[in-house]
Amino acid sequence: MTDEERREQIMRFIYTLRSRGVTDPVLLRAFEKIDRGLFVTGFFADRAYEDTPLPIACGQTISQPSVVALMTEALEVTPRDKVLEVGTGSGYQAAILSQLARRVYTVERHRTLIAEARAVFERLDLHNITAMAGDGSFGLPDQAPFDRIIVTAAAEDPPGPLLAQLRVGGIMVVPVGLQDSVQSLIKVRKLENGYDYEELRDVRFVPLLEGMAKD
Ligand code: SAH
């Protein structure tokens, strides 16, 4: 693909997102700047600019762009925020967040995916992302509390350690439900004395699994 073809594809991609209800200009600028084509390699590379989830390495998926948009909007990120993402996958969601937040920590249980994501962050000069291999269900106690937490794999319940690492007034977005069934995208706000839960819509994510993967 020539540079010009790529630019045209990206413009069409932005148009698709707009037509699916993404209106925030700051978010649209992030989608324009962060080229999804760099996060999808191999067989499906030529479908990177479609609004569809696609397979990536290690049997995982890069999320559907309009779902990335919805989750990012729900997170209400401000430029002061320190954000934790659980489930780096391709790194695309983290890269979008890096345009809106002060600092992004992202954790992934597949080392291969972390290595690939780091290479793309480097290539895009995204220096406010720290990508780490680990079981993200336990969060990153050393960096807590976080202003925002986004989980991009489906949990049976919002993980307790993550709720504990959210600051009061902070927001967490997490798909909740069993694998192979309909999951609900939940927005949790941490209050002084409890949590406020809001159900956003039905979604489908790969499951949040325990421990490190072998690859
Ligand atoms: N946010 C990604 C899509 C994530 S797919 C993107 O933008 O491309 C979900 C990812 O969560 C998978 O890569 C999977 O390996 C990872 N994952 C599942 N359970 C995990 C856990 N406990 N800790 C860290 N990562 C996990």
Side-chain angles (χ1 to χ4, degrees), residues 58-78:
C58 305
Q60 303 305 315
T61 30
I62 179 170
S63 309
Q64 183 176 358
S66 52
V67 172
V68 172
L70 172 75
M71 292 175 83
T72 307
E73 278 180 334
L75 215 51
E76 299 178 26
V77 182
T78 78

Side-chain angles (χ1 to χ4, degrees), residues 60 109 153-155 179 183 205-209:
Q60 303 305 315
R109 62 191 289 280
Q179 185 184 6
Q183 304 147 358
F205 275 84
V206 298
L208 188 73
L209 298 175

Side-chain angles (χ1 to χ4, degrees), residues 55-61 89 108-114 116 206 209 213-215:
I56 56 171
C58 305
Q60 303 305 315
T61 30
E108 167 62 53
R109 62 191 289 280
H110 287 276
R111 287 190 183 83
T112 308
L113 294 177
I114 281 293
E116 288 179 6
V206 298
L209 298 175
K214 289 200 191 72
D215 49 352

Side-chain angles (χ1 to χ4, degrees), residues 151-194:
V151 185
T152 62
E156 283 185 32
D157 291 298
L162 297 184
L163 288 171
Q165 289 170 34
L166 190 61
R167 79 161 165 79
V168 171
I171 297 171
M172 173 157 97
V173 173
V174 51
V176 169
L178 298 176
Q179 185 184 6
D180 296 328
S181 71
V182 178
Q183 304 147 358
S184 266
L185 190 61
I186 308 284
K187 175 172 177 173
V188 185
R189 202 182 287 265
K190 187 164 180 169
L191 311 173
E192 292 280 357
N193 48 5

